[in-house]
Amino acid sequence: MGILKRLDETIIIENDRKSEKELVEYCILEGISLNNANLENINLSGLDFNNAFINGASFKNANLNDISSKNASFIDCDFSGASFHFCNFLRTEFENCIFENVDLRDCIGDMKNIFSVVVDTYVMTFTKTMMNLGCDTKTIKEWRNLSVNDLEDEEQKWLWNYYKDTIFEIIDKRLGVENG
């Protein structure tokens, strides 16, 4: 039985024949508001959020891999712990959203909240606190403290040895960190 609730526990929609993912898709298609929705821990992978406007929703620990979100707006949403593999957010608006402990594997950011750079054969994606390089996600602080010897993969070792300073120069400039 699928049921979607708002953060205050009021019911948005319920249907005993549809999953929560199907109900989210139905709400988007039918224009039913998902403002302040509790979408925590839901597998929403592959959904089409194109042109959606969602305000105040919680997507904590949600699977948002491979979603489409062209011309979508997410305002005051919490994406803590969410997974965003293979997403392209260049035409997505995020305003005052939380991106703590997110997994951004092979993600193209909106370049305002989620930033992306191709480094050799790797996609590097980062937020104010998290960074993803290839398949590895860590806090920026953990990446800063990582030495070449901490890596197992030979290609990653070469990349890290060659580009580490450049990577942090990009991050610091983009995030406005003063070093000097």
Side-chain angles (χ1 to χ4, degrees):
M1 177 176 158
I3 185 168
L4 291 182
K5 294 183 179 181
R6 300 205 187 281
L7 293 170
D8 67 3
E9 294 295 317
T10 57
I11 294 173
I12 298 171
I13 189 170
E14 64 182 306
N15 183 320
D16 60 357
R17 295 183 186 166
K18 293 187 178 196
S19 68
E20 292 170 319
K21 179 178 181 176
E22 291 170 319
L23 290 176
V24 170
E25 183 176 39
Y26 177 80
C27 287
I28 292 168
L29 290 173
E30 296 299 319
I32 298 170
S33 173
L34 290 172
N35 291 345
N36 300 305
N38 183 346
L39 304 174
E40 298 174 3
N41 302 302
I42 299 177
N43 179 356
L44 301 172
S45 62
L47 276 188
D48 181 344
F49 284 89
N50 292 343
N51 302 305
F53 179 88
I54 301 175
N55 188 0
S58 178
F59 292 89
K60 288 182 181 176
N61 302 309
N63 178 342
L64 296 160
N65 295 342
D66 204 28
I67 63 166
S68 179
S69 59
K70 290 178 186 161
N71 302 314
S73 294
F74 297 94
I75 313 297
D76 296 320
C77 294
D78 188 346
F79 293 101
S80 299
S83 176
F84 291 110
H85 296 190
F86 315 112
C87 294
N88 181 341
F89 294 126
L90 282 175
R91 293 178 54 195
T92 304
E93 176 188 15
F94 295 103
E95 186 179 313
N96 298 320
C97 294
I98 299 169
F99 295 101
E100 294 294 323
N101 299 312
V102 292
D103 186 347
L104 302 164
R105 181 177 178 184
D106 293 326
C107 179
I108 299 171
D110 67 334
M111 305 312 282
K112 294 177 185 168
N113 300 280
I114 301 170
F115 306 93
S116 304
V117 178
V118 175
V119 180
D120 210 76
T121 59
Y122 286 81
V123 175
M124 177 188 73
T125 308
F126 62 97
T127 66
K128 291 178 182 174
T129 58
M130 301 299 296
M131 181 177 130
N132 199 96
L133 184 62
C135 299
D136 294 326
T137 301
K138 298 176 182 5
T139 66
I140 290 175
K141 184 177 180 179
E142 289 170 327
W143 280 109
R144 280 191 198 278
N145 295 327
L146 190 74
S147 75
V148 172
N149 297 330
D150 296 327
L151 298 168
E152 294 179 24
D153 180 84
E154 290 303 316
E155 187 176 350
Q156 273 190 325
K157 282 184 179 189
W158 177 87
L159 179 93
W160 198 242
N161 188 50
Y162 195 79
Y163 286 112
K164 181 178 180 180
D165 292 340
T166 304
I167 287 170
F168 286 111
E169 187 176 326
I170 292 167
I171 290 172
D172 292 345
K173 282 184 178 178
R174 197 64 180 129
L175 296 180
V177 175
E178 293 292 328
N179 286 319

